[in-house]
């Protein structure tokens, strides 16, 4: 029987028994992006609050699929009981996870999902998935763009690195979300760089003088695009919406230079990832699929969002809270 | 040599690859889209090219000594973070600028000292610095961008004289000074000698070590200047890696006709190379080339620009 | 000419040794060179002549022994020190920078500058004009001084290297096989030049495989074999046959 | 030369920089964390190093001719996409593997032909190919990754003999063949001659053009082999660029004591260099070095590894 | 020796011209070289001798004129064609690969291989043994054949280049100042070698600034001045003074 009520000190003493305090290893995406830093903050703060140990490793860059796999392999050889993973692509961590599943370790999948087909064939069984739907976030931005440009018009899309999965999902979602009277005239790749986005946006406004808005695949680039709009004297005429909800972007929304950001809450994702490990350690059955909160931040609610950041400002559903109480 | 004879000299054409390529590119783009040569677009291209021009000049000094500075982009990132920290600490714009250049210059000097005294390949040392500088930038900035709102910086990045933005004019001034240093000072001659035949240069009493340290310091300091322009341009100091600047800076130099084996060089060439690369991306965007086709087009045009000069003969 | 005295000794190498890995290139070599004299250094290929020269001109540092220059012990840390002390060398490999022009090579690290306050700019005109003079004194098919050295014929290069070493007043001029690639006329001019240098009171250290030349020009001959100095003679008191005997080892000192 | 004399030769130490660095690194990491040398961890390090080893070997051939292949990583990406497309089209594993190698080999040959016949700098041509190949990969795959579930590939990437995974054994076999080619065939000698003194090689009747085309084709084909292992490892053919492989492949070669100026080379060196770089990242992860400090640590260790060999003397 | 006939002519250059940019390096140069003879080519520095040699050995392609070899018109597209046709050259710059060893240089593009089915592996042992023989026949301070050429002295390198050109049977051996950097003993051995080549029926084209050598060895002398062939003499019918006069232009042909 599981000793959820037992004191932590004695829990791990019988070999094979589940321990009440899990030893957690987390592998997340690129470290040069504030989004994943906030995710790490969520993981760290929840760990600290509940007194569990956690080691967090990140890939060198958002494209470093094999490097991330190497890091997971490095951690897999060590004595952790629960692994929180945010894979860069659907399959790049499958090999390492297969090894972990074979050893009976708990795998908690956050943010980007592990490819279901590949997971099944390799025998990987994530205990739970916690994440946001990037396509849905893009669609929210698309709907918001529709509200801002009631009369319709031309918009352009600034994506991350060409071929990047996250960028692709957000952009596709946006295209599905915008009403029919808004036309996406061009999509460019700005490599997740603010400077590159600024240059691209300047060029795009020149190529399409009628341009009414930009959808930008993340906030950092979004701030660059907003700057390009301001530089060319079109502030207010050309709308800019981006995704992520980092602090600088919330402030820009408040100041009106950015017309909206779809805030995803990596903090909450990271936090719930640790909670999931705790719940699993306590022997509780985990819900297979947990939706992390997503909010559309506009000038109206920017103050609220800023006050709460990096936590979500609205209510959201956290099924793990109850399990580890 | 007579002018006719000079025109037959393939070395001349190699040096002017970038100019020939640039002119051809301008003609094609202008034919396809007349906005290309509108004053507004020229102005924004020149401003967009400014940082790359400055980095390419720093890279030219290093490459002329048969070295390569792989750390140039991440040293710029580090310089930007140094700027951001001192600015937000309230030390004023001037101090922040000085600190950015100083921090980047020191990183360059460290490259130079290790290469000259440790006798390790330039590639390895600057690769190490590429990693170390971006690590330092992340640590110092705690991984977060710092928004910087400063009226002077804003004017710097948006104002100018006619179609020439201030940042482009700064880059131009750097180019002129660099040209004088390379071709009209003893240092410049010694630099080319060090690159072309280090043993002969040493036999003539030139301290090749001092030259190496100097060029890497120059490259670092110019990366610092680039950092200031970058912060002015995007309005924030970010620890993000600017990897595209690295390859582009070397590409501009090589397109500009400077051999990676050192000993020869121009400043005009790399400047034109930087303009070529900037115009290329601008033109492709203006023409509405689909995003997946852009890298393909860039690749083909870069090779064609270099190839073109071969058929001139 | 007066009998040489010890005060005339400008260069004094004492027991100089140098080993590369397992190759003992120099073993306790002692030679001297006097002011106002042409001192010849002869020996077979690989005997160590160039290595000795490279020690004197600061490129190599000897493992052992001392080099006295102008009466003082030297420890040249670099060719710069040696050049500053007044030693100019025509190296066997010529030490030219192929990608620089003839005039740039001639004035390498001896550039003429014009000062404008704190900045010193090259005086290209002056250097080119002076370079043209220097080269035309030696070469017959005078190369254009603004052409790159890469383009020159073997003899033209050698002429440039000789011009460089002799164009700046110095106490000791070392020439490592200076006329090896030169034609008849150029060789004659270089020999004149060497004699003139001596007559002006400079010391000249000449390495040559051409015995006629050595016997014609030098006052003192040092012979090396397999890294050792195996003999020294006043030229006036020896013959070509004796020198050859010393070189080949047929005659022991 | 006697052994003692050989040990005094700095060139020897330069060639073994990677080995000395690797041993030092292993000692330090093992002292700090005993899991480092556990069989499981060694096995995963070797597997993780396999792709890099193969790319570094391809890069060595190019660098030994004084060239550089900047397109190696994106040609690998293109090879992976070619694999993915033909596999999902149902052409079978064998055909897909062949196609991946062929596509990448052709891209390499194109590099070689343009460099040899167009007489353009290696850097520019392969930079162009870097861009063009990643563009092609994006176009072919329509920017989306293709998941590939194949039992053979899965066994390839997870199975092995003892602690030696199949992929590592493949890399080892490539290394042995490459060593034989470089040092025991006429082609290898001609390659080194072309790199060391192209004019002398040409004067001796060696077709330096053919050599250039051959080395770039080899580099491309090995990138294709790398693509197959990559697909096996990450379980998908992705069109996104693998930029870190580019710099790491060159770094492994240079750490392995091969000069970027060509004419000299070993195969053991770059293999050890690749192992060093892999062990470094693995060790830092095991030690739990905080994220932002990792790039800094990598930079310092890389320079130290190269520097270390200097003090041996 | 029989009187030379036209059938003995192995190499026949007719009106060969070559211009580099504004430098007219060769202007309508016609020379011949016969089997069983040593043909000398002399002239001042920069006269165009090496350039002519480079045309014959396939490095440069002439702008005008024809080169007949063994009776046939040639259009060597590369040095490979020339070597295959039977022309070996000691270039003035030696054309050695500094980073390769002595034996690798000696056998460059002439490697000895052992076949194992489809693969051909280098026979390093055989090449090293053969290289040791070849070098010791010429050099006095014999360099270790496994050391890199970078380490050799000036004369040792030249010896390696000469070994390479003469070690493989060929119809024509061209030597561009082969003894310039050689010592007395080595020079004597190379001269012996040249004579032996002639006696075996090869044609030798020798460029040298050493008149004594030219008069001693050659049967035919061609003189060049400023890119033109200004004269040709049977050696037996001329004198050193006449040749010098032709070179300097004191005597017009
Ligand atoms: N850097 C070096 N490393 C190893 N060995 C060297 C080096 N430099 C010279 N040697 C060796 O030292 C010996 C002497 O060489 P040096 O160049 O001094 O001869 P030399 O007397 O000038 O001959 P030459 O008349 O051919 O120029 C030779 O055997 C040569 O191989
Ligand atoms: N690649 C080149 N480009 C331009 N000029 C050249 C080139 N090669 C040779 N020359 C010029 O052609 C002329 C003839 O040179 P060449 O090397 O044939 O002379 P040479 O007779 O061999 O002289 P030396 O006795 O000094 O070796 C020289 O003036 C030289 O500067
Ligand atoms: Mg010598
Ligand atoms: Mg010549």
């Amino acid at each position: 029987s599981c000793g959820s009520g037992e004191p932590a000190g004695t829990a791990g003493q019988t070999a094979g028994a589940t321990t009440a305090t899990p030893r957690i290893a987390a592998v997340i995406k690129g470290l040069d992006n504030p989004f994943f830093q906030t995710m790490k903050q969520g993981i760290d703060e929840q760990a600290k609050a509940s007194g569990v140990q956690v080691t967090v490793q990140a890939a060198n860059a958002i494209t470093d699929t094999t490097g991330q796999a190497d890091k997971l392999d490095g951690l897999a050889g060590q004595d952790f009981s629960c692994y929180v993973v945010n894979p860069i692509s659907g399959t790049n961590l499958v090999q390492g996870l297969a090894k972990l599943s074979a050893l009976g370790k708990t795998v908690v999948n956050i943010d980007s999902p592990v490819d279901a087909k590949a997971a099944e064939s390799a025998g990987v069984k994530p205990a739970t998935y916690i994440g946001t739907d990037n396509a849905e976030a893009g669609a929210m931005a698309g709907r918001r763009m529709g509200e801002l440009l009631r009369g319709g018009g031309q918009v352009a899309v600034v994506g991350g690195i060409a071929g990047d999965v996250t960028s692709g999902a957000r952009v596709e979602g946006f295209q599905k979300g915008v009403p029919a009277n808004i036309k996406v005239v061009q999509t460019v790749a700005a490599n997740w760089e603010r400077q590159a986005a600024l240059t691209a946006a300047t060029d795009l406004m020149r190529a399409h003088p009628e341009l009414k808005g930009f959808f930008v695949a993340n906030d950092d680039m979004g701030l660059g695009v907003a700057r390009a709009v301001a530089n060319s004297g079109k502030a207010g005429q050309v709308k800019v919406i981006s995704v992520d909800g980092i602090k600088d972007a919330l402030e820009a929304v408040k100041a009106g230079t950015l017309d909206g950001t779809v805030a995803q809450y990596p903090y909450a994702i990271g936090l719930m990832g640790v909670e999931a490990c705790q719940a699993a350690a306590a022997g509780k059955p985990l819900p297979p699929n947990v939706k992390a909160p997503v909010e559309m931040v506009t000038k109206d609610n920017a103050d609220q969002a800023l006050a709460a950041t990096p936590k979500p400002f609205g209510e959201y559903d956290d099924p793990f809270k109850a399990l580890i109480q | 040599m007579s002018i006719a004879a000079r025109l037959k000299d393939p070395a001349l054409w190699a040096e002017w690859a970038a100019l020939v390529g640039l002119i051809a590119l301008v003609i094609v783009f202008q034919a396809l889209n007349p906005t290309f040569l509108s004053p507004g677009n020229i102005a924004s291209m020149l401003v967009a090219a400014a940082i790359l021009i400055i980095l390419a000049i720093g890279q030219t000094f290093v490459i002329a000594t048969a070295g390569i500075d792989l750390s140039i982009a991440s040293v710029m990132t580090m310089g930007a973070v140094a700027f951001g920290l001192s600015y937000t600490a309230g030390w004023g714009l001037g101090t922040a600028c000085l600190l950015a250049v100083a921090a980047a210059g020191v990183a360059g000097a460290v490259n130079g000292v290790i290469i000259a005294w440790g006798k390790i390949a330039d590639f390895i040392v600057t690769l190490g610095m590429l990693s170390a500088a971006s690590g330092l930038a992340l640590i110092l900035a705690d991984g977060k961008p710092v928004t910087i709102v400063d009226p002077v910086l804003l004017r710097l990045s948006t104002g100018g004289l006619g179609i020439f933005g201030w940042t482009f004019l700064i880059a131009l001034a750097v180019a002129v000074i660099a040209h004088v240093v390379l071709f009209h000072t003893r240092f410049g001659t010694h630099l080319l000698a060090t690159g072309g035949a280090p043993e002969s240069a040493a036999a003539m009493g030139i301290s090749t070590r001092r030259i190496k340290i100097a060029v890497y310091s120059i490259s670092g300091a110019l990366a610092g200047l680039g950092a200031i322009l970058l912060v002015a341009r995007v309005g924030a100091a970010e620890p993000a890696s600017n990897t595209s600047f690295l390859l582009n800076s070397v590409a501009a130099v090589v397109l500009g006709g400077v051999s990676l084996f050192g000993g020869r060089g121009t400043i005009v060439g790399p400047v034109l190379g930087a303009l070529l690369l900037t115009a290329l991306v601008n033109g492709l965007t203006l023409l509405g080339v689909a995003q997946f086709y852009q890298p393909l087009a860039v690749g083909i045009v870069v090779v064609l620009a270099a190839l073109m000069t071969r058929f001139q003969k | 000419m007066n009998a040489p005295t010890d005060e005339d000794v400008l260069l004094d190498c004492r027991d100089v040794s140098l080993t590369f890995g397992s190759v003992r290139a120099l073993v306790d070599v002692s030679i001297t060179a006097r002011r106002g004299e042409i001192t010849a250094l002869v020996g077979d290929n690989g005997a160590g002549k160039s290595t000795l020269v490279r020690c004197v001109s600061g490129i190599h540092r000897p493992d052992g022994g001392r080099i006295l220059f102008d009466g003082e012990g030297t420890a040249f840390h670099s060719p710069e020190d040696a050049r500053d002390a007044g030693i100019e060398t025509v190296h066997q490999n010529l030490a030219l920078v192929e990608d620089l022009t003839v005039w740039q090579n001639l004035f390498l690290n001896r550039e003429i500058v014009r000062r404008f306050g704190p900045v010193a700019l090259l005086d290209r005109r002056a250097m080119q004009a002076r370079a043209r003079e220097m080269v035309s004194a030696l070469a017959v098919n005078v190369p254009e001084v603004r052409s790159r050295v890469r383009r020159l014929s073997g003899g033209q290069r050698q002429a440039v290297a000789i011009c460089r070493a002799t164009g700046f007043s110095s106490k000791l001029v070392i020439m490592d096989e200076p006329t090896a690639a030169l034609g008849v006329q150029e060789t004659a001019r270089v020999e004149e030049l060497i004699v003139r240098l001596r007559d002006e009171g400079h010391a000249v250290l000449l390495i040559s495989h051409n015995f006629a030349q050595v016997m014609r020009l030098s006052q003192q001959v040092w012979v090396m074999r397999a890294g050792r100095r195996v003999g020294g003679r006043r030229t006036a008191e020896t013959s070509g046959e004796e020198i050859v005997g010393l070189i080949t080892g047929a005659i022991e000192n």
Side-chain angles (χ1 to χ4, degrees), chain A, chain B, chain C:
Chain A
S1 67
C2 307
S4 62
E6 286 175 18
T10 59
Q13 283 175 0
T14 36
T18 17
T19 46
T21 48
R23 281 174 41 76
I24 306 174
V27 178
I28 60 176
K29 291 192 203 172
L31 58 112
D32 54 352
N33 187 322
F35 187 85
F36 301 107
Q37 288 155 31
T38 318
M39 184 180 286
K40 179 172 185 292
Q41 197 187 343
I43 294 172
D44 285 341
E45 284 182 11
Q46 172 62 20
K48 206 165 157 215
S50 49
V52 297
Q53 281 196 0
V54 62
T55 298
V56 185
Q57 290 289 334
N60 286 328
I62 200 96
T63 52
D64 187 18
T65 49
T66 53
Q68 195 190 28
D70 296 347
K71 295 212 160 165
L72 180 65
D73 284 350
L75 294 173
Q78 291 176 291
D79 177 31
F80 294 104
S81 62
C82 181
Y83 289 79
V84 178
V85 293
N86 176 9
I88 291 177
S89 76
T91 51
N92 74 316
L93 295 184
V94 165
Q95 242 91 85
L97 293 178
K99 236 179 285 173
L100 293 176
S101 291
L103 290 172
K105 310 269 175 134
T106 312
V107 173
V108 174
N109 183 194
I110 59 173
D111 194 27
S112 300
V114 175
D115 186 89
K117 206 168 70 171
E120 195 193 309
S121 74
V124 177
K125 294 176 216 73
T128 179
Y129 168 74
I130 308 155
T132 40
D133 187 346
N134 279 310
E136 175 51 28
M140 280 173 82
R143 288 192 290 275
R144 173 71 187 156
M145 190 63 88
E147 288 166 22
L148 287 172
L149 306 177
R150 292 229 175 268
Q154 301 182 342
V155 298
V157 171
V158 178
I161 290 171
D164 183 77
V165 187
T166 308
S167 174
R170 289 177 180 177
V171 170
E172 238 169 67
F174 175 80
Q175 276 161 335
K176 292 215 179 84
V178 287
N181 62 352
I182 292 180
K183 188 167 169 267
V184 176
V185 288
Q186 198 169 339
T187 303
V188 297
N191 304 337
W192 302 122
E193 283 176 22
R194 198 186 286 205
Q195 203 276 140
L198 198 164
T199 307
T202 311
D203 297 347
L204 284 170
M205 282 185 283
R206 179 114 32 222
H208 308 283
E210 297 297 301
L211 206 66
K212 291 257 167 50
F214 281 103
F215 171 67
V216 192
N218 82 353
D219 278 348
D220 203 38
M221 293 193 295
L223 292 168
V225 172
R227 175 104 182 185
V229 170
N231 283 353
S232 54
K234 292 187 172 173
Q237 300 163 37
V238 177
K239 310 291 181 192
V240 184
I241 301 178
S242 56
V243 185
D244 270 0
I246 64 170
K247 191 158 169 274
D248 280 5
L250 299 179
E251 268 161 7
V253 172
K254 187 181 163 197
T257 50
L258 202 63
D259 299 279
T261 176
V262 182
Q264 296 186 333
Y265 286 97
Y267 182 92
I269 297 173
L271 180 146
M272 285 196 280
V274 174
E275 287 177 342
C277 281
Q278 290 176 282
K284 300 283 168 62
L286 303 182
N289 225 318
V290 178
K291 275 247 166 95
V294 182
E295 284 155 356
M296 183 73 228
V297 180
T298 61
K299 201 158 184 174
D300 303 331
N301 57 11
D303 269 326
Q304 265 177 290
L306 257 177
T309 191
K311 296 175 188 158
F313 61 91
E315 286 297 312
Y316 70 97
D317 185 31
D318 181 354
F320 302 107
K321 271 258 150 56
L323 295 178
I324 57 172
Q325 221 78 82
Chain B
M1 266 199 268
S2 71
I3 292 184
R6 267 169 173 265
L7 286 180
K8 274 199 208 158
D9 186 351
L12 178 85
W13 286 104
E15 280 176 13
W16 294 97
L19 182 62
V20 178
L22 183 58
I23 291 174
L25 206 67
V26 166
I27 293 173
V28 172
F29 281 145
Q30 178 65 11
L32 294 175
N33 184 338
T35 1
F36 186 70
L37 281 190
S38 66
N41 196 46
I42 293 179
S44 61
M45 269 195 283
L46 294 183
V47 167
I51 297 173
L52 186 58
I53 289 176
I54 289 175
L55 295 186
I57 291 170
Q59 195 67 269
T60 303
F61 275 90
V62 172
I63 288 179
T65 66
I68 190 163
D69 189 353
L70 296 181
S71 67
I72 200 162
S74 57
V75 165
M76 175 169 77
T77 301
M78 201 186 75
V81 168
F83 181 99
L85 289 183
S86 41
Y87 186 87
T88 44
W91 296 351
L93 188 63
T95 319
C97 287
L98 269 182
L99 258 170
V101 174
V106 166
V110 168
N111 276 334
V113 168
I114 298 178
I115 290 166
W117 288 95
K119 289 188 191 152
I120 317 179
D122 304 58
F123 193 95
I124 283 293
V125 174
T126 56
L127 184 72
M129 181 58 82
L130 156 73
S131 200
S134 50
L136 266 180
L138 284 170
I139 295 169
L140 289 176
D142 197 24
K144 296 188 186 71
V146 185
T147 301
I148 290 179
V149 185
D150 185 284
V152 178
L153 281 188
L154 193 64
R155 244 176 295 142
L156 178 70
S157 70
T158 51
L161 289 176
I163 62 167
F164 302 109
W166 294 127
T167 51
F168 177 71
L169 290 174
I170 291 176
L172 215 58
V174 170
V176 170
I177 295 172
H179 181 88
V180 170
V181 168
L182 199 53
F183 296 110
H184 294 276
T185 67
R186 299 186 65 195
F187 172 71
T189 309
H190 295 185
L191 191 162
L192 293 172
T194 301
E199 286 169 17
S200 297
M204 284 303 108
I206 293 171
S207 168
T208 53
R209 277 187 182 149
R210 230 176 293 155
I211 299 281
K212 275 280 179 189
I213 296 173
V215 292
Y216 280 98
S217 305
I218 290 175
S219 166
L222 287 179
L225 179 60
I228 299 171
L229 300 196
L230 183 67
V231 171
R233 183 160 167 75
V234 303
E238 299 181 280
S241 57
N242 291 292
T243 32
S244 53
F245 276 115
L246 164 59
L247 282 181
N248 279 341
S249 73
V250 187
V253 174
V254 181
L255 270 179
V258 179
S259 156
L260 285 174
F261 296 104
R264 303 183 75 157
T266 66
I267 295 295
V268 194
V271 170
L272 291 173
L275 287 174
L276 175 78
L277 292 173
T278 312
L280 182 56
V281 175
N282 176 289
L284 290 177
T285 308
L286 282 192
L287 292 184
V289 173
Q291 61 161 340
F292 294 166
Y293 286 85
Q294 281 212 11
L296 183 63
V298 168
I300 292 171
V301 172
V302 164
V303 173
L304 281 185
L307 202 59
M308 190 174 300
T309 60
R310 298 287 146 188
F311 294 115
Q312 296 292 337
K313 222 184 93 183
Chain C
M1 204 185 293
N2 299 327
T5 67
D6 271 6
E7 272 156 42
D8 285 334
V9 171
L10 179 66
L11 174 73
D12 188 357
C13 300
R14 296 191 185 162
D15 296 328
V16 174
S17 300
L18 183 56
T19 307
F20 296 112
S22 60
V23 180
R24 300 183 72 188
L26 295 178
V27 188
D28 296 335
V29 175
S30 301
I31 65 158
T32 57
R34 290 197 171 83
R35 266 180 266 265
E37 279 194 7
I38 297 169
T39 307
L41 185 61
V42 297
D44 262 321
N45 294 131
K49 305 180 295 298
S50 299
T51 306
L52 181 63
V53 164
R54 282 203 289 266
C55 289
V56 174
S57 61
I59 294 179
H60 292 324
R61 276 223 259 170
D63 296 338
R66 298 173 61 202
I67 298 176
L68 303 178
F69 187 71
D70 218 356
E72 285 170 41
T74 60
F76 298 146
H77 288 84
S78 75
E80 192 166 19
D81 296 343
R83 280 190 99 185
D84 287 346
I87 301 175
E88 290 284 344
T89 312
V90 180
H91 289 282
Q92 192 169 16
N93 63 12
L94 305 184
L96 297 173
V97 181
E98 302 247 304
D99 280 323
L100 292 185
T101 60
V102 171
W103 68 265
Q104 284 175 314
N105 269 286
L106 282 176
F107 286 91
L108 199 55
N109 210 14
R110 291 278 184 278
E111 293 85 356
I112 303 175
V113 290
R114 289 202 293 174
R115 307 213 142 264
F116 299 89
V119 292
L121 297 187
L122 296 180
D123 191 345
R124 298 164 81 101
R125 283 257 179 90
M127 286 190 276
Q128 288 177 6
R130 183 90 189 75
R132 232 167 258 131
E133 275 172 38
M134 287 161 78
V135 176
S136 59
L138 266 193
V140 176
N141 288 336
V142 182
E144 162 61 48
V145 295
R146 280 178 308 180
S147 60
R148 295 185 196 270
V149 166
R150 190 179 288 290
R151 302 286 175 77
L152 301 190
S153 81
Q156 288 170 332
R157 285 165 195 232
Q158 196 152 28
V160 171
I162 294 172
C163 283
R164 180 171 64 185
T166 55
F168 304 93
S169 63
S170 54
K171 296 179 187 163
L172 171 67
V173 178
I174 305 179
M175 297 194 173
D176 195 349
E177 309 193 19
T179 59
L182 293 188
V184 228
Q185 303 188 69
E186 284 86 355
T187 303
R189 292 196 194 177
V190 169
E191 290 187 2
E192 269 170 41
L193 175 77
I194 293 176
V195 171
R196 195 166 68 235
L197 284 171
R198 175 194 61 194
D199 293 347
E200 287 168 1
H202 303 273
V204 178
L205 181 63
L206 174 70
I207 297 179
S208 176
H209 288 301
N210 181 339
F211 287 120
Q213 188 176 61
V214 167
M215 299 309 286
R216 200 160 54 231
L217 300 179
S218 73
Q219 279 71 53
Q220 166 78 33
V221 187
W222 298 107
V223 183
M224 290 189 66
R225 188 168 72 237
R228 289 169 201 275
R229 193 213 65 197
V230 293
R233 297 283 186 278
R234 297 302 293 173
T235 314
E237 297 159 13
T238 187
S239 64
E241 291 77 54
E242 193 188 11
I243 299 291
V244 172
L246 284 168
I247 291 177
T248 58
I251 304 175
E252 286 296 327
N253 197 25

